[in-house]
Amino acid sequence: MKIIKTIKQLRAFLSQQERQGKRVGFVPTMGYFHQGHLSLMKKSIKENEVTVVSLFVNPIQFGPKEDLKKYPRDLKRDVKMISPLGVDVLFVPDEQEMYPQQLLTNIVVKYLSNTLCGSLRPGHFEGVATVVMKLLNIVKPRVIYMGQKDAQQAFIIKKMIQDLNVPTTLSICKTCREKDGLAMSSRNVFLSAVERKEAVVISKALKMAKAVILKGETDAKRIIFLIKKLIADETSANILYVSCVKLDDLKEVSRIDGDVLLAVAVKFSSARLIDNEIVKRPRR
Ligand code: AMP
């Protein structure tokens, strides 16, 4: 696995690959890898001749009061973890490489960026869309792999690719979970032992709500109430939001008719966690 720090070197490597007609798969990450990241990389390795993984803790997607400084970083650990997989390039640019000058261009994916996490993290998805667009222009992959775990992020990138005719296909990969159901996340390391035990309730509540919907419940308010109650009863977490939105435009629904996304964000003492569940239900 090559570790490349500059855009120039990465482009030189990729143009060689392009001349040989090799297909490139791309996995953007912020590092501190877990099996969720690895599942994306494995899929790319399986489906492409060349896999590029980027590791960049993107400052422009963090708000001034968020955990940019504290975000877990350990390059040695990460390199060791993915070395056996067959990733061709780990691209590790620094901030100067990605943002050498003040950015005057920003990708804004309207509406989709303002709901769910976007309503609590102003500017977050602009930061995400902008860095992903930059990375897509640098790597020019055939396929980009992203996780269902960050469903809103994946939908926003899907729309950006569609709107701007980016010649890349998005592959959304299913959420990898710990044995007890907790969605894997780099931020799980911030949980205390007690919080770690409590955190399982997030996925439990989503699964319970999904089952209730599949049994016929159509009242979104009732579903949201049930999820909130279980989380409030069994954890010390602060509930940031629980939402039931339409899968195609992420708009809140009051009556569940058709496919929906149930999305949850909670804050434990020093970890902000998100999870979601898609519920597919034929329209009546
Ligand atoms: P991050 O490093 O957290 O920015 O995540 C990099 C990519 O990995 C994103 O596309 C995430 O959606 C994806 N990802 C994060 N956690 C998981 C998970 N538990 N299962 C599958 N993919 C994940």
Side-chain angles (χ1 to χ4, degrees):
M1 182 173 75
K2 281 182 192 298
I3 298 176
I4 294 182
K5 292 184 176 169
T6 67
I7 297 168
K8 197 173 164 195
Q9 279 175 305
L10 180 59
R11 283 199 159 133
F13 170 81
L14 287 169
S15 49
Q16 273 173 11
Q17 307 302 311
E18 205 178 314
R19 278 197 293 276
Q20 297 167 31
K22 292 191 177 164
R23 288 173 303 181
V24 177
F26 175 51
V27 183
T29 80
M30 298 209 299
Y32 212 75
F33 297 143
H34 50 68
Q35 290 302 320
H37 294 115
L38 269 58
S39 71
L40 271 51
M41 297 176 202
K42 286 177 189 163
K43 192 153 194 264
S44 173
I45 292 164
K46 210 169 155 190
E47 297 177 354
N48 303 279
E49 279 108 30
V50 175
T51 289
V52 177
V53 174
S54 66
L55 191 172
F56 178 60
V57 182
N58 176 36
I60 67 165
Q61 71 186 67
F62 287 80
K65 290 188 184 145
E66 293 183 357
D67 57 354
L68 172 63
K69 279 212 177 106
K70 260 184 49 194
Y71 197 83
R73 294 165 172 89
D74 191 339
L75 182 59
K76 252 194 183 160
R77 167 193 175 277
D78 284 351
V79 168
K80 204 170 155 197
M81 214 167 154
I82 66 166
S83 286
L85 295 186
V87 168
D88 297 275
V89 175
L90 179 63
F91 177 50
V92 206
D94 63 14
E95 201 177 322
Q96 181 61 25
E97 185 68 12
M98 288 301 283
Y99 302 116
Q101 292 158 3
Q102 188 196 357
L103 266 190
L104 299 182
T105 311
N106 202 21
I107 303 279
V108 180
V109 181
K110 289 193 274 185
Y111 310 120
L112 297 182
S113 298
N114 300 331
T115 61
L116 306 174
C117 287
S119 64
L120 302 171
R121 304 182 73 185
H124 170 66
F125 287 114
E126 283 85 341
V128 170
T130 303
V131 79
V132 172
M133 192 69 222
K134 279 170 74 75
L135 290 165
L136 287 172
N137 283 328
I138 295 165
V139 180
K140 295 187 281 175
R142 185 182 69 95
V143 185
I144 179 173
Y145 297 84
M146 302 187 90
Q148 163 72 42
K149 150 88 174 4
D150 299 276
Q152 186 176 12
Q153 169 174 288
F155 293 149
I156 286 169
I157 298 304
K158 189 173 167 194
K159 184 72 176 129
M160 176 187 84
I161 286 176
Q162 203 178 58
D163 285 355
L164 301 182
N165 302 94
V166 182
T168 296
T169 306
L170 170 65
S171 173
I172 302 179
C173 310
K174 79 174 186 16
T175 303
C176 283
R177 297 179 179 281
E178 302 290 352
K179 279 202 181 96
D180 62 6
L182 174 66
M184 289 181 183
S185 164
S186 304
R187 289 186 168 98
N188 290 351
V189 292
F190 295 137
L191 296 170
S192 69
V194 174
E195 290 173 339
R196 170 63 189 84
K197 276 194 185 141
E198 291 178 357
V200 65
V201 175
I202 305 164
S203 60
K204 226 170 87 180
L206 283 165
K207 284 229 149 56
M208 172 275 298
K210 183 174 181 169
V212 174
I213 296 173
L214 291 175
K215 271 191 190 145
E217 179 62 76
T218 57
D219 182 359
K221 258 199 191 140
R222 168 98 189 125
I223 291 295
I224 291 168
F225 168 79
L226 291 174
I227 297 174
K228 282 188 173 167
K229 178 157 174 27
L230 191 57
I231 295 176
D233 285 352
E234 295 193 19
T235 78
S236 55
N238 180 15
I239 299 174
L240 301 175
Y241 66 77
V242 175
S243 293
C244 178
V245 296
K246 264 199 290 173
L247 199 51
D248 48 4
D249 59 9
L250 302 185
K251 283 196 178 138
E252 291 279 344
V253 298
S254 48
R255 190 171 162 273
I256 300 169
D257 184 22
D259 302 343
V260 291
L261 178 80
L262 298 174
V264 172
V266 305
K267 176 92 169 54
F268 282 96
S269 54
S270 42
R272 183 182 188 285
L273 303 185
I274 56 172
D275 199 355
N276 64 76
E277 195 67 62
I278 288 175
V279 190
K280 298 220 169 219
R281 245 183 59 153
R283 290 189 92 93
R284 303 232 159 166

